Amino acid sequence: DGTKAIELLKKEELKSTSKNEIDEVLASATIKEALPKLAFNINIGTQSTLSISEEQKQKDIKYIKDLCEYVKKQVIPSMVEEWKVPEKCPVDGDMLTDNFHERGVNMRYLGYVHTLCSQIPFAQNLVLSEIIVRCAKHRLRNLMRTVSQGLFAQAVSQYLNALFGFVSNSGNKKNQQNQQ
């Protein structure tokens, strides 16, 4: 029955459970009743027209808002609290992303996490760096869509120079005086 499925899924050592036993439990019809509904309406919050009733749409919106509230009030603060222990704090963008995704937190919460990291300067700087990198990557991709293939190198060079603040020295005396 469904309780057997949940107990099986809670076991720490599934290795001792045979594949046939797992398949049998997962195939049982009652597992659907025992496990919570994990499907979300992915069109909520978009401009797409939904073929659902207004009542169902409002229920879906409330469900998503409640879920977002839970993430902001429970999941993210506990994640940031863990970062106060130096061994658990991410040290680069990949670890940061993994840390978010292990907890089911979308990277769109980077700004919110940045505000919560005020007492962890290293983590706050890492999150800010990740925000900047993601924005820069997004802008560069948009730029690359508009540039002809022959001008890729020049466009990337100009973009990176603008991003990092390098002004080219064209030999112009007025330009040289402005740089001093």
Side-chain angles (χ1 to χ4, degrees), residues 60-98:
D60 289 349
I61 289 171
K62 182 183 179 336
Y63 187 63
I64 296 294
K65 285 182 180 181
D66 290 346
L67 191 60
C68 292
E69 190 70 21
Y70 173 75
V71 167
K72 288 178 82 172
K73 299 289 185 199
Q74 301 291 324
V75 178
I76 292 174
S78 70
M79 177 178 68
V80 171
E81 189 66 29
E82 279 185 21
W83 293 352
K84 290 181 179 178
V85 177
E87 293 82 24
K88 294 193 177 193
C89 187
V91 295
D92 63 13
D94 287 337
M95 284 181 71
L96 180 70
T97 302
D98 290 345

Side-chain angles (χ1 to χ4, degrees), residues 109-123:
Y109 289 102
L110 276 169
Y112 181 71
V113 171
H114 180 263
T115 61
L116 294 181
C117 288
S118 61
Q119 303 210 346
I120 316 168
F122 176 78

Side-chain angles (χ1 to χ4, degrees), residues 10-34:
K10 286 181 181 177
K11 279 187 182 178
E12 288 185 19
E13 292 192 30
L14 284 176
K15 291 179 184 176
S16 64
T17 308
S18 71
K19 183 181 180 328
N20 289 340
E21 185 181 357
I22 294 171
D23 290 342
E24 180 183 315
V25 170
L26 294 177
S28 71
T30 56
I31 191 170
K32 293 177 184 175
E33 298 164 9

Side-chain angles (χ1 to χ4, degrees), residues 2 12 19 23 27 48-49 53 58 64 70 74 92 101 106 171-172 180:
E12 288 185 19
K19 183 181 180 328
D23 290 342
S48 83
T49 56
S53 68
Q58 292 307 315
I64 296 294
Y70 173 75
Q74 301 291 324
D92 63 13
H101 293 162
N106 193 292
N172 183 341
Q180 294 174 353

